[in-house]
Amino acid sequence: MATARPTLLKLPEVLTELGMSRAAFYRMRTRGHAPRLVKLPNGQIRCRRADLDAWLENNEATQAA
Protein backbone atom coordinates (compact mmCIF):
# COMPACT_ATOMS: atom_id res chain seq x y z
CA MET A 1 0.00 0.00 0.00
CA ALA A 2 1.43 3.37 -0.99
CA THR A 3 1.49 6.12 1.61
CA ALA A 4 0.21 9.55 0.72
CA ARG A 5 2.90 12.18 0.42
CA PRO A 6 2.42 15.36 2.44
CA THR A 7 0.83 18.19 0.55
CA LEU A 8 3.31 20.95 -0.17
CA LEU A 9 1.82 24.39 -0.60
CA LYS A 10 3.42 27.10 -2.69
CA LEU A 11 4.11 30.36 -0.90
CA PRO A 12 1.34 32.26 -2.77
CA GLU A 13 -1.13 29.59 -1.59
CA VAL A 14 0.02 30.07 2.01
CA LEU A 15 -0.21 33.86 1.70
CA THR A 16 -3.73 33.62 0.30
CA GLU A 17 -4.83 31.33 3.10
CA LEU A 18 -3.31 33.62 5.74
CA GLY A 19 -4.56 36.76 4.00
CA MET A 20 -1.25 38.57 4.18
CA SER A 21 1.35 40.07 1.90
CA ARG A 22 4.68 38.47 1.06
CA ALA A 23 6.48 41.32 2.89
CA ALA A 24 4.45 40.81 6.07
CA PHE A 25 5.06 37.07 5.92
CA TYR A 26 8.82 37.52 5.57
CA ARG A 27 8.87 40.00 8.47
CA MET A 28 7.10 37.39 10.57
CA ARG A 29 9.53 34.72 9.35
CA THR A 30 12.53 36.90 10.27
CA ARG A 31 11.18 37.15 13.82
CA GLY A 32 10.71 33.37 13.98
CA HIS A 33 6.90 33.55 14.07
CA ALA A 34 6.02 31.98 10.70
CA PRO A 35 5.14 28.39 9.87
CA ARG A 36 8.01 26.06 9.01
CA LEU A 37 9.07 26.22 5.36
CA VAL A 38 10.88 23.71 3.16
CA LYS A 39 13.41 24.81 0.56
CA LEU A 40 13.45 22.48 -2.43
CA PRO A 41 16.67 21.62 -4.32
CA ASN A 42 15.61 23.98 -7.12
CA GLY A 43 15.42 26.87 -4.61
CA GLN A 44 11.64 27.08 -4.44
CA ILE A 45 9.96 27.36 -1.05
CA ARG A 46 7.05 25.21 0.10
CA CYS A 47 5.07 24.76 3.30
CA ARG A 48 3.72 21.40 4.38
CA ARG A 49 -0.04 21.45 4.94
CA ALA A 50 0.47 19.77 8.33
CA ASP A 51 2.98 22.46 9.41
CA LEU A 52 0.65 25.27 8.37
CA ASP A 53 -2.33 23.67 10.14
CA ALA A 54 -0.29 23.12 13.32
CA TRP A 55 0.99 26.71 13.21
CA LEU A 56 -2.54 28.06 12.76
CA GLU A 57 -3.86 25.93 15.62
CA ASN A 58 -1.02 27.03 17.90
CA ASN A 59 -1.57 30.70 17.10
CA GLU A 60 -5.34 30.43 17.59
CA ALA A 61 -4.72 28.94 21.03
CA THR A 62 -2.23 31.72 21.85
CA GLN A 63 -4.67 34.44 20.82
CA ALA A 64 -7.53 32.86 22.78
CA ALA A 65 -5.50 32.74 26.03
Side-chain angles (χ1 to χ4, degrees):
M1 180 193 289
T3 59
R5 299 178 76 176
T7 302
L8 295 175
L9 303 170
K10 294 179 181 180
L11 188 55
E13 295 170 326
V14 174
L15 296 175
T16 298
E17 188 163 332
L18 296 177
M20 67 173 42
S21 70
R22 184 179 296 261
F25 182 84
Y26 277 108
R27 281 193 302 272
M28 210 168 54
R29 185 176 181 214
T30 300
R31 295 180 190 125
H33 299 294
R36 184 171 174 253
L37 299 177
V38 176
K39 187 171 186 179
L40 300 177
N42 63 4
Q44 295 180 355
I45 293 178
R46 299 286 189 269
C47 182
R48 288 186 180 92
R49 165 53 65 192
D51 290 339
L52 181 59
D53 290 344
W55 181 84
L56 285 169
E57 185 176 317
N58 184 41
N59 283 300
E60 287 174 0
T62 302
Q63 295 298 321

